[in-house]
Amino acid sequence: MLYHIRMDVNLPPDLDPEVRADLLAREKEYSQKQQREGRWPHLWRVAGEYANISVVDVADHDELHAMLSGLPLFAYMDIEVTPLAGHPNKIAD
Amino acid sequence: MLYHIRMDVNLPPDLDPEVRADLLAREKEYSQKQQREGRWPHLWRVAGEYANISVVDVADHDELHAMLSGLPLFAYMDIEVTPLAGHPNKIAD
Amino acid sequence: MLYHIRMDVNLPPDLDPEVRADLLAREKEYSQKQQREGRWPHLWRVAGEYANISVVDVADHDELHAMLSGLPLFAYMDIEVTPLAGHPNKIAD
Amino acid sequence: MLYHIRMDVNLPPDLDPEVRADLLAREKEYSQKQQREGRWPHLWRVAGEYANISVVDVADHDELHAMLSGLPLFAYMDIEVTPLAGHPNKIAD
Amino acid sequence: MLYHIRMDVNLPPDLDPEVRADLLAREKEYSQKQQREGRWPHLWRVAGEYANISVVDVADHDELHAMLSGLPLFAYMDIEVTPLAGHPNKIAD
Amino acid sequence: MLYHIRMDVNLPPDLDPEVRADLLAREKEYSQKQQREGRWPHLWRVAGEYANISVVDVADHDELHAMLSGLPLFAYMDIEVTPLAGHPNKIAD
Amino acid sequence: MLYHIRMDVNLPPDLDPEVRADLLAREKEYSQKQQREGRWPHLWRVAGEYANISVVDVADHDELHAMLSGLPLFAYMDIEVTPLAGHPNKIAD
Amino acid sequence: MLYHIRMDVNLPPDLDPEVRADLLAREKEYSQKQQREGRWPHLWRVAGEYANISVVDVADHDELHAMLSGLPLFAYMDIEVTPLAGHPNKIAD
Amino acid sequence: MLYHIRMDVNLPPDLDPEVRADLLAREKEYSQKQQREGRWPHLWRVAGEYANISVVDVADHDELHAMLSGLPLFAYMDIEVTPLAGHPNKIAD
Amino acid sequence: MLYHIRMDVNLPPDLDPEVRADLLAREKEYSQKQQREGRWPHLWRVAGEYANISVVDVADHDELHAMLSGLPLFAYMDIEVTPLAGHPNKIAD
C-alpha cells in the first residue's frame, strides 16, 4: 500500500560535525536498503528546503511505523503521513 | 522537471448534478490526455478526502501554469505547488 | 487495518429540512451497515460540536476511500485521516 | 466517561540515553497500570510519528488531569483533550 | 463537572430579520432556563466580538452535548470545549 | 473589570528541581494573595495540560499588566487576554 | 482606557450597491460621532487591505462592546481587540 | 518606494461570464496603465494558482492604498503587503 | 509615513541578569531617543504580554529597517510591520 | 526560470560573534557571486525583519536547490519557494 510522506529535517546547526556525518551516512544506507527492497519507490528533495517528499509502499501501518521510526534522523524530523488510494482518472502505466 | 501538486476540490454540494457530471467528465478527459502525453506521471487519491496528490513533469513554470489553470475544476480547487529536485539518497530506478 | 478519522460536518443552516432529514437518515443507515459489517468499530460524538471521531477497520486505503466517499454527508464534511499502528505500551485486551 | 487524547512526544534527541531509557520504562509501567485498572481502554501509535491517540475512561476532569499529569513524559508532551459523547448512529456493541 | 466553552456566532448578515429575532429570542429563553437550572453558572460576552465565553456545569459529556446541540443558534456557531479541573493554587471561595 | 486569561506554562523539563520548586512556591503564594485580595475570582486547571484559564477582576489594563507581569512564572508563559463584557442573556446571580 | 482594534471588513462583492452605499454612509457618520466625542482617537487604514487599525478610548469593556457592536458594519467584520497598557519606555508626550 | 504584494483572487466559479470578462478586461487595462506609468515594475503569476506576486513602486502608503483599492478585482482579493528595503548584500544592477 | 509595528519579545528566562539589565537599559535609551526625535509617536504595552504595539513615523522603508534593526532587542523579537494610510472616515484632529 | 524565495534568518542571539561575522561575510560573498553570475536578479530586505525576499533565475529545480542549500546561512533559515510564471497582464519591459 502507498503512503505519501513529507519529512522536514531539523538538525541543530551546531551539531558536532562528526555526529552529523555519521547520522547522514547511516540515514543514506538505511534509506537505500529500503529502496532496494522495494519499500521506497519515490524519494524527491523539496527544492530549497531540508525536506523530502516520498512515497513508500509497505504492507500496513505497523510496517510503515517500523520503517519510519527506524530512520536514524527520525528524532530530528517532523513527519506527515497521507495514505494514498487509486485515483479514478489515473490511466494504466 | 517535476512538480509536486496537491489539489483540494471544493465543489458546492448543491451544484446542479448535470453541471457537476459535465465538469467531472471534462476533468477526466483533460487529465488523461495530459497523462498520455507524459506530463502527469503520478496521480493518487488522498484516501478519505476529495483531493489528489500528483507529480507532473513539464518543461517550466509557464507550462505548469497553463496545464493546471486549464483544468476544468481549476476554479473549484485549492492548489499547492512544490518543486521537486533529485535527492542525494535516491538510488537509480 | 485501523484508521483514526475525524469528521466535521458543515450542513448549511438553511438546508431544506426534508433534504436534511433524508441525508441524515441515509447517513445513519449507511454507517450502521458499515458497523454491522465490522468496518466501523468505534464511533463517538465530539461533545459540543457537530463532529465525530471514529476508528474504522478496513483492508487498505482504497477500501477506506470507497467507504468514506460513499457517506451521504461526504460532500458536507471536512475529514482528517490518521493511520493507527500498534503501540509498544499497549497491553493485550 | 470517555476522553479522546492525542499526545505528541518531544524528547530532545540529545537527551542522556540512560535518562531516556528510564523515562520510557517508567512511562510504560505507568500506562500499563492505568490500562490494567481500566482507565485506558484504547492506545494506538500514530503511524510515522512519535505520538499516540488514546481513549481514556475516568470519572471526571480532575481524575483525567491527575492521570495525565502523572505521566513520566508529561513535561515532554503536547496534549490535546477532546471529550467524547455517545453518537446517535452508534449501534450497540 | 465544569466545561469552558467559547461560542463564536456566525449569523449571515442578510438573514431574514424575523427569522433572526425569533432565533435570538429562543436562544435567550433556552440559555436562561439552563442558567436557572444551574447548568450555566458563567456567561460573558467577548468584548467587541459576536462571541461568548461560558462555563457550564453538567454531569457528563453526553449531557454537555445535549445542552449545547439544543441551542437554537447551534448550527450557526463554532464551539470550542475545554474540560476544567481544580487548580492546586485555587483558594477556597 | 473582568478579563479572561489563558496561561500556558512552558517550564523546561530539565530545569533545576530546586529552581522549579521555588518558582512554583512563589507563584502559588503570589496568586493566592491576588485571590484573597479579590483580583482573581476564577482559576481553573485546563484538564490534561500545564495551563490554566482564569478570570481576573482589576481596575484597568495597567493594573492587569502589573498583576500578570508580576507572576513568577511570567517569563515561562504564553498568555492570552480577552476582555469580558456583560452578556444580554445572563440572568442575575 | 485604550483598546487596540483591528477590523477586517468582508462586504460581499455582489451586495446591492444602494445597500452598500447606505451602510458605508451610516458607518462614517457613526464613527465620526464617536471620534468627535473622544472615544476614537486613532483610526488608520491598513494600506492595501479593506481593514482598519484603531485605538479607542472608553471607560470599560461594556462600553467598548456597545460601541463596536453598534457599528453598522459590525455583522460584516472580523474584529480583534487588544487591551493597551502604558509602556515603561514611553516618554511623556 | 517598493512594496511586495501578494494578491490571491477568489472569483466565484458561478460568476456571470460577462461580468467576469468585463472585470478581467478592466483589471488588465488598469494594471497596464499603472505599469506604463512606472508604478508596477514587477508582476508575476504564481504558477498553478489564481494569484500574483508583484512589486509596486509608489510614493507612500496612501498612494499604495489608492492604487490597490482601485483595482477592479479588489473586492475579490486577499492582499498581503510587505514593505521592501535595500539589502546590504545587493550588488548594484 | 506611519508604520504599525507589533513587537513580541522572547528573552530567554535564564539570560544572565546583568546581560538582561544592560539590554533593557540600552533598549530604553534607544527607543526614547527615537521618540524624542519624533520617529516613534505611539508606544503601548500589550496588556498581559511581553509585547508592544507602536506606530512609528519615518521617511521610508529603509529608514524603518535601520531604526528597527538598530533596537538592542532586535535579535530577540518577532516583529510584524503594517503600513498605515489615511482613513476616509477619520476626522481632522 | 524565475523562483520567488522568502528567507527568514534565525541566528541564535548568543552565537559567538566571530562565528557570526564569518557566516555573514561568507553569505555576502556567496550571494554576490550568484548575483554577478545572473542567477539572483532581485534581492530585497523585508523592512523590519531579519528576512529577505528574492527572485532567482536558474535552469531548473536541481540548480535552485544546489544554489540555496549552498548558502552559508542555509541551516539557520526557513525558506519558502514559489515558482513564478509569466502574467497575462504584464506589459513588455
Side-chain angles (χ1 to χ4, degrees), chain C residues 46-50, chain D residues 83, chain E residues 3-7 27 30 34 39-40 52 54-56 58 61-75 77 79-82:
Chain C
V46 172
E49 300 183 52
Y50 195 173
Chain E
Y3 297 82
H4 177 279
I5 317 283
R6 170 150 179 154
M7 303 182 208
E27 180 83 359
Y30 182 99
Q34 303 293 330
R39 287 187 214 87
W40 200 325
N52 77 60
S54 295
V55 174
V56 300
V58 288
H61 306 335
D62 287 286
E63 194 185 330
L64 173 72
H65 188 71
M67 178 182 153
L68 294 179
S69 59
L71 284 162
L73 287 179
F74 182 70
M77 294 201 285
I79 293 182
E80 201 185 85
V81 172
T82 307

mmCIF file of all heavy atoms in Angstrom, chain C residues 46-50, chain D residues 83, chain E residues 3-7 27 30 34 39-40 52 54-56 58 61-75 77 79-82:
data_model
loop_
_atom_site.group_PDB
_atom_site.id
_atom_site.type_symbol
_atom_site.label_atom_id
_atom_site.label_comp_id
_atom_site.label_asym_id
_atom_site.label_seq_id
_atom_site.Cartn_x
_atom_site.Cartn_y
_atom_site.Cartn_z
ATOM 1 N N VAL C 46 -18.073 14.136 19.125
ATOM 2 C CA VAL C 46 -17.228 15.116 19.810
ATOM 3 C C VAL C 46 -18.185 16.002 20.612
ATOM 4 O O VAL C 46 -19.000 16.733 20.019
ATOM 5 C CB VAL C 46 -16.424 15.965 18.795
ATOM 6 C CG1 VAL C 46 -15.697 17.100 19.527
ATOM 7 C CG2 VAL C 46 -15.444 15.092 18.025
ATOM 8 N N ALA C 47 -18.099 15.929 21.914
ATOM 9 C CA ALA C 47 -19.084 16.640 22.756
ATOM 10 C C ALA C 47 -19.051 18.131 22.476
ATOM 11 O O ALA C 47 -17.988 18.762 22.536
ATOM 12 C CB ALA C 47 -18.794 16.371 24.238
ATOM 13 N N GLY C 48 -20.232 18.681 22.100
ATOM 14 C CA GLY C 48 -20.347 20.126 21.890
ATOM 15 C C GLY C 48 -20.163 20.563 20.456
ATOM 16 O O GLY C 48 -20.367 21.739 20.137
ATOM 17 N N GLU C 49 -19.787 19.642 19.570
ATOM 18 C CA GLU C 49 -19.557 20.030 18.163
ATOM 19 C C GLU C 49 -20.299 19.067 17.248
ATOM 20 O O GLU C 49 -20.522 17.890 17.592
ATOM 21 C CB GLU C 49 -18.055 19.996 17.837
ATOM 22 C CG GLU C 49 -17.234 20.944 18.712
ATOM 23 C CD GLU C 49 -15.761 20.936 18.309
ATOM 24 O OE1 GLU C 49 -15.490 21.122 17.089
ATOM 25 O OE2 GLU C 49 -14.896 20.711 19.180
ATOM 26 N N TYR C 50 -20.644 19.553 16.030
ATOM 27 C CA TYR C 50 -21.262 18.655 15.037
ATOM 28 C C TYR C 50 -20.116 17.912 14.343
ATOM 29 O O TYR C 50 -19.775 18.193 13.183
ATOM 30 C CB TYR C 50 -22.104 19.461 14.043
ATOM 31 C CG TYR C 50 -23.071 18.592 13.217
ATOM 32 C CD1 TYR C 50 -24.002 19.184 12.377
ATOM 33 C CD2 TYR C 50 -23.039 17.199 13.285
ATOM 34 C CE1 TYR C 50 -24.885 18.382 11.615
ATOM 35 C CE2 TYR C 50 -23.892 16.406 12.529
ATOM 36 C CZ TYR C 50 -24.802 17.005 11.704
ATOM 37 O OH TYR C 50 -25.670 16.213 10.947
ATOM 38 N N PRO D 83 -13.452 15.769 24.825
ATOM 39 C CA PRO D 83 -14.468 14.937 25.482
ATOM 40 C C PRO D 83 -15.337 14.215 24.451
ATOM 41 O O PRO D 83 -15.749 14.823 23.457
ATOM 42 C CB PRO D 83 -15.312 15.949 26.263
ATOM 43 C CG PRO D 83 -14.619 17.260 26.183
ATOM 44 C CD PRO D 83 -13.713 17.221 25.010
ATOM 45 N N TYR E 3 -17.135 22.711 32.318
ATOM 46 C CA TYR E 3 -16.583 22.795 30.962
ATOM 47 C C TYR E 3 -16.488 24.270 30.577
ATOM 48 O O TYR E 3 -17.452 25.021 30.736
ATOM 49 C CB TYR E 3 -17.497 22.097 29.951
ATOM 50 C CG TYR E 3 -17.687 20.611 30.157
ATOM 51 C CD1 TYR E 3 -18.606 20.120 31.089
ATOM 52 C CD2 TYR E 3 -16.948 19.689 29.410
ATOM 53 C CE1 TYR E 3 -18.798 18.746 31.270
ATOM 54 C CE2 TYR E 3 -17.125 18.307 29.586
ATOM 55 C CZ TYR E 3 -18.050 17.857 30.514
ATOM 56 O OH TYR E 3 -18.233 16.505 30.671
ATOM 57 N N HIS E 4 -15.338 24.673 30.053
ATOM 58 C CA HIS E 4 -15.154 26.025 29.494
ATOM 59 C C HIS E 4 -15.578 25.956 28.026
ATOM 60 O O HIS E 4 -15.142 25.068 27.287
ATOM 61 C CB HIS E 4 -13.674 26.405 29.615
ATOM 62 C CG HIS E 4 -13.316 27.735 29.033
ATOM 63 N ND1 HIS E 4 -13.090 27.937 27.687
ATOM 64 C CD2 HIS E 4 -13.153 28.948 29.627
ATOM 65 C CE1 HIS E 4 -12.780 29.210 27.496
ATOM 66 N NE2 HIS E 4 -12.836 29.847 28.639
ATOM 67 N N ILE E 5 -16.469 26.890 27.629
ATOM 68 C CA ILE E 5 -16.978 26.875 26.255
ATOM 69 C C ILE E 5 -16.753 28.246 25.633
ATOM 70 O O ILE E 5 -17.036 29.258 26.243
ATOM 71 C CB ILE E 5 -18.508 26.623 26.243
ATOM 72 C CG1 ILE E 5 -18.928 25.513 27.226
ATOM 73 C CG2 ILE E 5 -18.991 26.351 24.831
ATOM 74 C CD1 ILE E 5 -18.655 24.112 26.783
ATOM 75 N N ARG E 6 -16.215 28.274 24.432
ATOM 76 C CA ARG E 6 -16.193 29.504 23.638
ATOM 77 C C ARG E 6 -17.124 29.279 22.461
ATOM 78 O O ARG E 6 -16.999 28.293 21.732
ATOM 79 C CB ARG E 6 -14.788 29.852 23.161
ATOM 80 C CG ARG E 6 -14.842 30.998 22.141
ATOM 81 C CD ARG E 6 -13.701 31.901 22.055
ATOM 82 N NE ARG E 6 -13.979 32.887 20.989
ATOM 83 C CZ ARG E 6 -13.455 34.096 20.951
ATOM 84 N NH1 ARG E 6 -12.616 34.514 21.923
ATOM 85 N NH2 ARG E 6 -13.757 34.950 19.951
ATOM 86 N N MET E 7 -18.075 30.195 22.261
ATOM 87 C CA MET E 7 -19.037 30.098 21.150
ATOM 88 C C MET E 7 -18.898 31.329 20.258
ATOM 89 O O MET E 7 -19.085 32.462 20.742
ATOM 90 C CB MET E 7 -20.470 30.032 21.675
ATOM 91 C CG MET E 7 -20.750 28.904 22.646
ATOM 92 S SD MET E 7 -22.506 28.926 23.142
ATOM 93 C CE MET E 7 -22.354 28.171 24.785
ATOM 94 N N GLU E 27 -33.026 31.554 21.707
ATOM 95 C CA GLU E 27 -31.695 31.315 22.299
ATOM 96 C C GLU E 27 -31.671 31.859 23.738
ATOM 97 O O GLU E 27 -31.174 31.197 24.648
ATOM 98 C CB GLU E 27 -30.618 32.016 21.455
ATOM 99 C CG GLU E 27 -29.195 31.847 21.942
ATOM 100 C CD GLU E 27 -28.550 30.540 21.497
ATOM 101 O OE1 GLU E 27 -29.236 29.743 20.799
ATOM 102 O OE2 GLU E 27 -27.380 30.295 21.836
ATOM 103 N N TYR E 30 -33.841 29.692 26.030
ATOM 104 C CA TYR E 30 -33.170 28.397 26.278
ATOM 105 C C TYR E 30 -32.013 28.578 27.267
ATOM 106 O O TYR E 30 -31.903 27.848 28.259
ATOM 107 C CB TYR E 30 -32.653 27.845 24.947
ATOM 108 C CG TYR E 30 -31.964 26.490 25.022
ATOM 109 C CD1 TYR E 30 -32.652 25.329 24.696
ATOM 110 C CD2 TYR E 30 -30.634 26.375 25.419
ATOM 111 C CE1 TYR E 30 -32.038 24.072 24.757
ATOM 112 C CE2 TYR E 30 -30.028 25.131 25.498
ATOM 113 C CZ TYR E 30 -30.720 23.994 25.162
ATOM 114 O OH TYR E 30 -30.117 22.767 25.221
ATOM 115 N N GLN E 34 -31.429 27.138 31.194
ATOM 116 C CA GLN E 34 -30.253 26.371 31.640
ATOM 117 C C GLN E 34 -29.600 27.060 32.845
ATOM 118 O O GLN E 34 -29.138 26.405 33.772
ATOM 119 C CB GLN E 34 -29.238 26.237 30.492
ATOM 120 C CG GLN E 34 -29.776 25.603 29.212
ATOM 121 C CD GLN E 34 -30.140 24.142 29.408
ATOM 122 O OE1 GLN E 34 -29.538 23.443 30.233
ATOM 123 N NE2 GLN E 34 -31.171 23.683 28.688
ATOM 124 N N ARG E 39 -27.117 24.886 35.278
ATOM 125 C CA ARG E 39 -26.134 24.237 34.391
ATOM 126 C C ARG E 39 -25.190 25.238 33.714
ATOM 127 O O ARG E 39 -24.290 24.871 32.993
ATOM 128 C CB ARG E 39 -26.870 23.453 33.294
ATOM 129 C CG ARG E 39 -27.531 22.184 33.798
ATOM 130 C CD ARG E 39 -28.099 21.345 32.659
ATOM 131 N NE ARG E 39 -29.324 20.673 33.109
ATOM 132 C CZ ARG E 39 -30.543 21.229 33.043
ATOM 133 N NH1 ARG E 39 -30.719 22.455 32.552
ATOM 134 N NH2 ARG E 39 -31.608 20.573 33.485
ATOM 135 N N TRP E 40 -25.500 26.535 33.904
ATOM 136 C CA TRP E 40 -24.724 27.535 33.137
ATOM 137 C C TRP E 40 -24.316 28.660 34.089
ATOM 138 O O TRP E 40 -24.797 29.783 33.994
ATOM 139 C CB TRP E 40 -25.607 28.042 32.001
ATOM 140 C CG TRP E 40 -24.878 28.679 30.851
ATOM 141 C CD1 TRP E 40 -23.740 29.442 30.916
ATOM 142 C CD2 TRP E 40 -25.273 28.670 29.472
ATOM 143 N NE1 TRP E 40 -23.405 29.874 29.658
ATOM 144 C CE2 TRP E 40 -24.322 29.410 28.753
ATOM 145 C CE3 TRP E 40 -26.330 28.069 28.778
ATOM 146 C CZ2 TRP E 40 -24.418 29.585 27.380
ATOM 147 C CZ3 TRP E 40 -26.413 28.250 27.403
ATOM 148 C CH2 TRP E 40 -25.467 29.003 26.705
ATOM 149 N N ASN E 52 -19.311 34.388 22.864
ATOM 150 C CA ASN E 52 -19.362 34.377 24.333
ATOM 151 C C ASN E 52 -18.402 33.347 24.871
ATOM 152 O O ASN E 52 -17.983 32.431 24.158
ATOM 153 C CB ASN E 52 -20.796 34.108 24.833
ATOM 154 C CG ASN E 52 -21.212 32.652 24.738
ATOM 155 O OD1 ASN E 52 -20.585 31.766 25.339
ATOM 156 N ND2 ASN E 52 -22.251 32.378 23.940
ATOM 157 N N SER E 54 -18.266 30.874 28.188
ATOM 158 C CA SER E 54 -19.141 30.378 29.252
ATOM 159 C C SER E 54 -18.424 29.293 30.041
ATOM 160 O O SER E 54 -17.454 28.695 29.553
ATOM 161 C CB SER E 54 -20.395 29.760 28.625
ATOM 162 O OG SER E 54 -21.164 30.753 27.954
ATOM 163 N N VAL E 55 -18.921 29.082 31.250
ATOM 164 C CA VAL E 55 -18.544 27.880 32.000
ATOM 165 C C VAL E 55 -19.862 27.186 32.322
ATOM 166 O O VAL E 55 -20.777 27.808 32.889
ATOM 167 C CB VAL E 55 -17.765 28.210 33.287
ATOM 168 C CG1 VAL E 55 -17.530 26.943 34.104
ATOM 169 C CG2 VAL E 55 -16.435 28.887 32.943
ATOM 170 N N VAL E 56 -19.993 25.948 31.893
ATOM 171 C CA VAL E 56 -21.222 25.207 32.173
ATOM 172 C C VAL E 56 -20.886 24.064 33.147
ATOM 173 O O VAL E 56 -19.747 23.621 33.232
ATOM 174 C CB VAL E 56 -21.875 24.662 30.877
ATOM 175 C CG1 VAL E 56 -22.226 25.809 29.947
ATOM 176 C CG2 VAL E 56 -20.999 23.634 30.204
ATOM 177 N N VAL E 58 -22.312 20.447 34.138
ATOM 178 C CA VAL E 58 -23.219 19.340 33.841
ATOM 179 C C VAL E 58 -22.604 18.017 34.300
ATOM 180 O O VAL E 58 -21.433 17.963 34.654
ATOM 181 C CB VAL E 58 -23.518 19.271 32.317
ATOM 182 C CG1 VAL E 58 -24.410 20.414 31.884
ATOM 183 C CG2 VAL E 58 -22.239 19.196 31.503
ATOM 184 N N HIS E 61 -20.231 14.287 29.600
ATOM 185 C CA HIS E 61 -20.097 14.757 28.209
ATOM 186 C C HIS E 61 -21.432 14.657 27.458
ATOM 187 O O HIS E 61 -21.754 15.512 26.624
ATOM 188 C CB HIS E 61 -19.040 13.918 27.462
ATOM 189 C CG HIS E 61 -17.707 13.863 28.133
ATOM 190 N ND1 HIS E 61 -17.251 14.832 29.006
ATOM 191 C CD2 HIS E 61 -16.718 12.933 28.067
ATOM 192 C CE1 HIS E 61 -16.027 14.512 29.428
ATOM 193 N NE2 HIS E 61 -15.690 13.374 28.886
ATOM 194 N N ASP E 62 -22.175 13.606 27.728
ATOM 195 C CA ASP E 62 -23.434 13.440 26.990
ATOM 196 C C ASP E 62 -24.412 14.563 27.321
ATOM 197 O O ASP E 62 -25.068 15.126 26.436
ATOM 198 C CB ASP E 62 -24.047 12.055 27.287
ATOM 199 C CG ASP E 62 -23.270 10.941 26.590
ATOM 200 O OD1 ASP E 62 -23.413 10.829 25.345
ATOM 201 O OD2 ASP E 62 -22.468 10.246 27.257
ATOM 202 N N GLU E 63 -24.452 14.901 28.603
ATOM 203 C CA GLU E 63 -25.366 15.994 28.973
ATOM 204 C C GLU E 63 -24.861 17.306 28.378
ATOM 205 O O GLU E 63 -25.644 18.152 27.938
ATOM 206 C CB GLU E 63 -25.472 16.109 30.506
ATOM 207 C CG GLU E 63 -26.650 16.997 30.930
ATOM 208 C CD GLU E 63 -26.733 17.241 32.429
ATOM 209 O OE1 GLU E 63 -26.301 16.352 33.207
ATOM 210 O OE2 GLU E 63 -27.193 18.332 32.821
ATOM 211 N N LEU E 64 -23.526 17.452 28.327
ATOM 212 C CA LEU E 64 -22.953 18.655 27.703
ATOM 213 C C LEU E 64 -23.409 18.754 26.247
ATOM 214 O O LEU E 64 -23.910 19.791 25.804
ATOM 215 C CB LEU E 64 -21.423 18.605 27.748
ATOM 216 C CG LEU E 64 -20.731 19.747 26.975
ATOM 217 C CD1 LEU E 64 -20.906 21.069 27.729
ATOM 218 C CD2 LEU E 64 -19.254 19.450 26.758
ATOM 219 N N HIS E 65 -23.270 17.638 25.520
ATOM 220 C CA HIS E 65 -23.625 17.683 24.098
ATOM 221 C C HIS E 65 -25.113 17.948 23.896
ATOM 222 O O HIS E 65 -25.506 18.745 23.035
ATOM 223 C CB HIS E 65 -23.234 16.379 23.380
ATOM 224 C CG HIS E 65 -23.418 16.506 21.897
ATOM 225 N ND1 HIS E 65 -22.592 17.281 21.130
ATOM 226 C CD2 HIS E 65 -24.383 16.034 21.067
ATOM 227 C CE1 HIS E 65 -23.007 17.254 19.869
ATOM 228 N NE2 HIS E 65 -24.093 16.524 19.802
ATOM 229 N N ALA E 66 -25.917 17.312 24.727
ATOM 230 C CA ALA E 66 -27.375 17.533 24.607
ATOM 231 C C ALA E 66 -27.682 19.016 24.812
ATOM 232 O O ALA E 66 -28.436 19.633 24.046
ATOM 233 C CB ALA E 66 -28.104 16.673 25.630
ATOM 234 N N MET E 67 -27.061 19.591 25.837
ATOM 235 C CA MET E 67 -27.335 21.007 26.157
ATOM 236 C C MET E 67 -26.865 21.930 25.030
ATOM 237 O O MET E 67 -27.590 22.805 24.572
ATOM 238 C CB MET E 67 -26.623 21.360 27.460
ATOM 239 C CG MET E 67 -26.775 22.803 27.884
ATOM 240 S SD MET E 67 -25.826 23.074 29.417
ATOM 241 C CE MET E 67 -25.467 24.827 29.230
ATOM 242 N N LEU E 68 -25.638 21.740 24.547
ATOM 243 C CA LEU E 68 -25.097 22.656 23.526
ATOM 244 C C LEU E 68 -25.788 22.447 22.170
ATOM 245 O O LEU E 68 -26.133 23.405 21.480
ATOM 246 C CB LEU E 68 -23.587 22.475 23.399
ATOM 247 C CG LEU E 68 -22.768 22.879 24.636
ATOM 248 C CD1 LEU E 68 -21.281 22.637 24.394
ATOM 249 C CD2 LEU E 68 -23.002 24.356 24.979
ATOM 250 N N SER E 69 -26.001 21.198 21.792
ATOM 251 C CA SER E 69 -26.611 20.955 20.477
ATOM 252 C C SER E 69 -28.095 21.342 20.466
ATOM 253 O O SER E 69 -28.695 21.483 19.400
ATOM 254 C CB SER E 69 -26.446 19.487 20.067
ATOM 255 O OG SER E 69 -27.046 18.643 21.041
ATOM 256 N N GLY E 70 -28.615 21.580 21.657
ATOM 257 C CA GLY E 70 -30.009 22.035 21.735
ATOM 258 C C GLY E 70 -30.145 23.550 21.601
ATOM 259 O O GLY E 70 -31.249 24.095 21.481
ATOM 260 N N LEU E 71 -29.032 24.247 21.618
ATOM 261 C CA LEU E 71 -29.088 25.716 21.461
ATOM 262 C C LEU E 71 -29.661 26.075 20.092
ATOM 263 O O LEU E 71 -29.189 25.559 19.065
ATOM 264 C CB LEU E 71 -27.686 26.316 21.588
ATOM 265 C CG LEU E 71 -27.115 26.401 23.001
ATOM 266 C CD1 LEU E 71 -25.602 26.594 22.965
ATOM 267 C CD2 LEU E 71 -27.792 27.580 23.753
ATOM 268 N N PRO E 72 -30.660 26.941 20.052
ATOM 269 C CA PRO E 72 -31.219 27.356 18.741
ATOM 270 C C PRO E 72 -30.132 27.853 17.768
ATOM 271 O O PRO E 72 -30.217 27.629 16.569
ATOM 272 C CB PRO E 72 -32.189 28.472 19.115
ATOM 273 C CG PRO E 72 -32.629 28.137 20.509
ATOM 274 C CD PRO E 72 -31.413 27.520 21.173
ATOM 275 N N LEU E 73 -29.085 28.488 18.278
ATOM 276 C CA LEU E 73 -28.022 29.022 17.402
ATOM 277 C C LEU E 73 -26.955 27.979 17.075
ATOM 278 O O LEU E 73 -25.983 28.280 16.379
ATOM 279 C CB LEU E 73 -27.359 30.246 18.056
ATOM 280 C CG LEU E 73 -28.157 31.553 18.083
ATOM 281 C CD1 LEU E 73 -27.351 32.654 18.795
ATOM 282 C CD2 LEU E 73 -28.448 32.009 16.637
ATOM 283 N N PHE E 74 -27.135 26.731 17.563
ATOM 284 C CA PHE E 74 -26.062 25.721 17.429
ATOM 285 C C PHE E 74 -25.525 25.630 15.999
ATOM 286 O O PHE E 74 -24.306 25.619 15.785
ATOM 287 C CB PHE E 74 -26.573 24.351 17.898
ATOM 288 C CG PHE E 74 -25.544 23.254 17.846
ATOM 289 C CD1 PHE E 74 -24.477 23.251 18.742
ATOM 290 C CD2 PHE E 74 -25.623 22.242 16.905
ATOM 291 C CE1 PHE E 74 -23.518 22.243 18.702
ATOM 292 C CE2 PHE E 74 -24.664 21.224 16.858
ATOM 293 C CZ PHE E 74 -23.616 21.228 17.745
ATOM 294 N N ALA E 75 -26.424 25.632 15.010
ATOM 295 C CA ALA E 75 -25.997 25.426 13.600
ATOM 296 C C ALA E 75 -25.212 26.617 13.070
ATOM 297 O O ALA E 75 -24.518 26.529 12.058
ATOM 298 C CB ALA E 75 -27.221 25.178 12.718
ATOM 299 N N MET E 77 -22.921 28.250 14.935
ATOM 300 C CA MET E 77 -21.816 28.584 15.847
ATOM 301 C C MET E 77 -20.602 27.678 15.664
ATOM 302 O O MET E 77 -20.706 26.503 15.338
ATOM 303 C CB MET E 77 -22.279 28.478 17.299
ATOM 304 C CG MET E 77 -23.329 29.503 17.675
ATOM 305 S SD MET E 77 -23.432 29.789 19.468
ATOM 306 C CE MET E 77 -24.284 28.292 19.991
ATOM 307 N N ILE E 79 -17.940 26.134 18.075
ATOM 308 C CA ILE E 79 -17.889 25.914 19.532
ATOM 309 C C ILE E 79 -16.590 25.204 19.899
ATOM 310 O O ILE E 79 -16.163 24.255 19.229
ATOM 311 C CB ILE E 79 -19.104 25.075 19.997
ATOM 312 C CG1 ILE E 79 -20.394 25.885 19.819
ATOM 313 C CG2 ILE E 79 -18.934 24.635 21.446
ATOM 314 C CD1 ILE E 79 -21.648 25.174 20.292
ATOM 315 N N GLU E 80 -15.941 25.700 20.943
ATOM 316 C CA GLU E 80 -14.695 25.097 21.422
ATOM 317 C C GLU E 80 -14.908 24.694 22.883
ATOM 318 O O GLU E 80 -15.313 25.536 23.690
ATOM 319 C CB GLU E 80 -13.592 26.159 21.315
ATOM 320 C CG GLU E 80 -12.169 25.654 21.274
ATOM 321 C CD GLU E 80 -11.198 26.851 21.288
ATOM 322 O OE1 GLU E 80 -10.883 27.324 22.400
ATOM 323 O OE2 GLU E 80 -10.829 27.314 20.208
ATOM 324 N N VAL E 81 -14.668 23.432 23.203
ATOM 325 C CA VAL E 81 -14.926 22.896 24.550
ATOM 326 C C VAL E 81 -13.615 22.552 25.246
ATOM 327 O O VAL E 81 -12.744 21.896 24.643
ATOM 328 C CB VAL E 81 -15.797 21.617 24.469
ATOM 329 C CG1 VAL E 81 -15.914 20.940 25.837
ATOM 330 C CG2 VAL E 81 -17.172 21.925 23.901
ATOM 331 N N THR E 82 -13.464 23.015 26.496
ATOM 332 C CA THR E 82 -12.245 22.712 27.270
ATOM 333 C C THR E 82 -12.655 22.228 28.661
ATOM 334 O O THR E 82 -13.252 22.982 29.436
ATOM 335 C CB THR E 82 -11.385 23.993 27.419
ATOM 336 O OG1 THR E 82 -11.148 24.558 26.135
ATOM 337 C CG2 THR E 82 -10.061 23.697 28.106
#
